[in-house]
Amino acid sequence: MQSKQRLLPLLALLLALVLAACGRNGAPSSQGPPNAQTPTVQPSGTFECPDATSPTLSPTPTPSPTPTSSPTPTFTPVVTPVLMGTPVPLNRLVPITAANVGAVQPIARWGKGTVNDVAWSPDGERLAVASSLGVYLYDAKTLQEVGFLGKKGTWVSSVAFSPDGTLLALGLRDGRVQLRRVSDGRQVRTLEGHTGVVRSVAFSPDGKLLISGAWDKTARLWRVSDGRLVRTLEGYRSWVYSVAFSPDGRLLAIGTWYTVQIWRVSDGALLHTLRGGIRGGSTVAFSPDGTLVASGDVYGQVWLWRVSDGTLVRILEAHEELVYSVAFSPDGTLLASGAGDNVVRLWRVDDGTLVRTLKGRRVAVTDLAFSPDGRFLVSTAYDSSLQLWRVSDGTLLRTLDEHANGVTSVAFSPDGILLLALDPWSNTVWMLRISDGTFARTQATETVLRMALSPDGRLLALGTWGGAVQLWRLPDGILLRTLERHRNHVDSVAFSPDGTLLASGSCAQWNSNVSGHCLRGEIQLSRVPDGNLVRTLEGRAGSVYSVAFSPDGTLLAAGLGWPDNTVQLWRVSDGALLRTLEAHESLVDNVAFSPDGRLLVSASDDGIVRLWRVSDGTLVHTLHTSGATSVAFSPDGTLLASGSLAGIIQLWRVSDGALVRILEYESDVICVAFSPDGRLLASGAGDGTVRLWGVVGGP
């Protein structure tokens, strides 16, 4: 089974979502990313937020807005076994300080990682799901987890069962290929040679050979019995996305961004180079009788080729966007295609007739696989969900929602009992009870980029792709009001310390002739009780990717993007621009005030974190990071945490700017936040997980 996730054109959308959620984004599209459909969930327990203890109200409670006739949201109680390390030893944790930072350790992890590939076992009983944490095994009928293969640092990009079902081949992000025994997960062999992400793996029909394709622009043929490299197929212009053996094992199909090539296994001879359109061929599949090979292209077309002579048989005008996956039914009568237009289509192979369209999530379909008996089809989506369909009538039988595509924002409730985490790919905010890992979620009505929790914990603000700011009531998840005043996507949101004002940042005017060029950024200050606009602060060139109020609420800091790349300080009372801090060479991802309000920190795409004195704008410290995405002060103001795309969290001593600790991650760290009492540090990452860090000091 080939891995079709995260192909190149959709990388732009992924980057837009991640960067905007962390305070970075590109120019808006005339058509934003599609909204996610409300998921199908099988609750396995109950969850009620504590009434008396969570959340605790602050002395100045936020006035509750009057509900409007906004679309009805969903708030679904769910209990799933995705928390590692529970129960969290809250009574044994001590505040994280500069003195004990060396003792910080992982406390817990939520999430099962992203979904990168899926494969059926030969007997049709199990589904193997490749994730950023390892491989999960699910019962194919119930989608209940029955096993897990993985260990720390095992980001699996592709997976395939051996024909006899005893082995799994795992293509890893670090370029290795692992062979693991299905029965006990034992690692049998590691195949090393690739220097890029292994995007696709496939066994030969007799199980003696394994082909792997990778981002190093090569495909490698291995002997399974001893792991010997038989042959390297190279010379490609782009990454290798997809590999497949012909049913008789004599031929190989290799799909790259530009072409599909047919090779002879016995001697490595190149037989045909098939060019579908200007760009296309990244997904490939042989028909069960070996006479046809199917490929998809960036324009939504599916190409059918005759293997014997490379002749084009038929072009299916299948989709409106890039085709990510194609798969033949086991009897060869049907061809399934999944694409960026969010649907799966079933085609009759003999005449190209469209048989059925399957509509699941309103996000791109990234992978497809038929069950061995052909009765079922599994599809994966860009939000890391998995859908199980009945082929005969197109009925959606089950949906698996236990994976996430990335966590881009985290926030603690004021009492520290709950942790909120944003997954923008599914438009979902998770509410997690820290003590035992129980969680509930609320489903937004459109694509969410940013999240902010009110100081009293009763309101949640969500900034959306469509330019709206949604206000939700917690803990019941009722949508109270939608503010629709921004003309472009909302890149930042923040509540004032007393909860009466809400700041939202965006781009007021884009230069349509220059991609990503914002001519004028803006900040809208809205009154929370009634949603009325107080004033609009118009900044310089560059969208506003981060906003933060000073602890006393008198100042507002804003981080701007390209081409300005500055930090602006505004007086809240009259909207006067007090100061512009110029030092960064790239867009400013994140800004935050120290707890005493004397310092301001800014993190930028230039890899630099800068500490400024608020009173006069003096640069105090310059901290060199590895692509900082977010920053957070500890509650006592002695430490600064920065998350990095390099897969680390760096802890800095504020007094002298010294780096005092590095916490290693297996994925890019997108967001960080300290709990109100300083005993926990939360981080959200591109691997679809939330992790808690702390110092265990009690008995």
Side-chain angles (χ1 to χ4, degrees), residues 409 411 420 450-454 459-463 471 493-495 502-503:
S409 185
L420 276 67
R450 286 294 273 172
M451 174 184 78
L453 186 64
S454 65
L459 293 176
L460 178 68
L462 301 178
L471 282 175
V493 288
F495 283 94
L502 179 69

Side-chain angles (χ1 to χ4, degrees), residues 135-466:
V135 174
Y136 291 88
L137 296 176
Y138 290 98
D139 182 282
K141 296 183 180 65
T142 65
L143 296 188
Q144 295 296 311
E145 183 184 335
V146 295
F148 175 74
L149 310 178
K151 60 181 181 179
K152 183 178 180 181
T154 307
W155 184 302
V156 183
S157 301
S158 51
V159 65
F161 278 97
S162 62
D164 63 4
T166 61
L167 293 177
L168 273 172
L170 281 59
L172 305 187
R173 187 173 66 169
D174 63 10
R176 293 178 297 152
V177 177
Q178 290 183 353
L179 294 178
R180 288 181 174 268
R181 201 160 54 201
V182 175
S183 59
D184 58 6
R186 178 178 174 270
Q187 184 172 320
V188 176
R189 190 166 288 107
T190 298
L191 313 177
E192 298 184 352
H194 285 296
T195 58
V197 177
V198 180
R199 293 296 302 270
S200 185
V201 289
F203 283 93
S204 61
D206 61 8
K208 295 180 179 180
L209 297 175
L210 179 77
I211 184 70
S212 57
W215 281 8
D216 60 5
K217 302 180 182 180
T218 70
R220 295 176 185 266
L221 190 64
W222 313 85
R223 193 162 60 200
V224 173
S225 60
D226 58 5
R228 176 180 171 269
L229 177 64
V230 177
R231 187 171 292 109
T232 299
L233 308 178
E234 51 192 348
Y236 296 105
R237 295 170 55 196
S238 71
W239 299 335
V240 175
Y241 287 95
S242 183
V243 295
F245 275 96
S246 62
D248 61 8
R250 296 181 179 182
L251 301 177
L252 282 169
I254 310 294
T256 73
W257 186 237
Y258 297 99
T259 63
V260 174
Q261 292 187 336
I262 306 296
W263 299 77
R264 191 164 53 217
V265 173
S266 60
D267 59 1
L270 175 61
L271 303 181
H272 305 296
T273 296
L274 315 176
R275 301 182 185 276
I278 297 176
R279 287 185 176 88
S282 54
T283 172
V284 295
F286 278 100
S287 61
D289 62 5
T291 62
L292 298 174
V293 66
S295 65
D297 71 14
V298 70
Y299 302 108
Q301 298 174 319
V302 174
W303 300 64
L304 284 172
W305 312 84
R306 191 161 52 226
V307 174
S308 60
D309 58 6
T311 301
L312 178 63
V313 176
R314 184 175 293 111
I315 299 177
L316 305 177
E317 301 294 338
H319 298 274
E320 297 177 2
E321 296 186 28
L322 183 147
V323 178
Y324 288 92
S325 183
V326 291
F328 284 94
S329 61
D331 63 5
T333 61
L334 295 176
L335 176 69
S337 59
D341 58 4
N342 317 328
V343 298
V344 177
R345 289 198 164 97
L346 296 177
W347 308 85
R348 197 158 54 215
V349 174
D350 59 1
D351 60 6
T353 301
L354 177 62
V355 177
R356 185 169 292 110
T357 298
L358 311 179
K359 297 182 179 180
R361 293 297 177 82
R362 291 197 294 272
V363 289
V365 177
T366 56
D367 211 348
L368 298 169
F370 279 95
S371 61
D373 61 10
R375 294 192 301 155
F376 305 104
L377 178 71
V378 64
S379 64
T380 63
Y382 196 63
D383 62 358
S384 282
S385 63
L386 184 148
Q387 289 82 40
L388 184 65
W389 309 84
R390 188 164 55 216
V391 174
S392 61
D393 58 6
T395 299
L396 177 60
L397 301 176
R398 285 183 177 80
T399 296
L400 180 69
D401 277 312
E402 296 180 4
H403 296 265
N405 206 25
V407 175
T408 59
S409 185
V410 289
F412 285 91
S413 61
D415 56 13
I417 292 178
L418 301 178
L419 180 69
L420 276 67
L422 171 64
D423 172 14
W425 287 269
S426 63
N427 304 331
T428 300
V429 176
W430 299 95
M431 295 177 58
L432 304 119
R433 191 160 57 201
I434 295 172
S435 60
D436 59 7
T438 306
F439 67 93
R441 63 179 166 195
T442 185
Q443 183 81 32
T445 55
E446 63 173 290
T447 302
V448 179
L449 299 180
R450 286 294 273 172
M451 174 184 78
L453 186 64
S454 65
D456 63 7
R458 291 186 168 187
L459 293 176
L460 178 68
L462 301 178
T464 72
W465 181 274

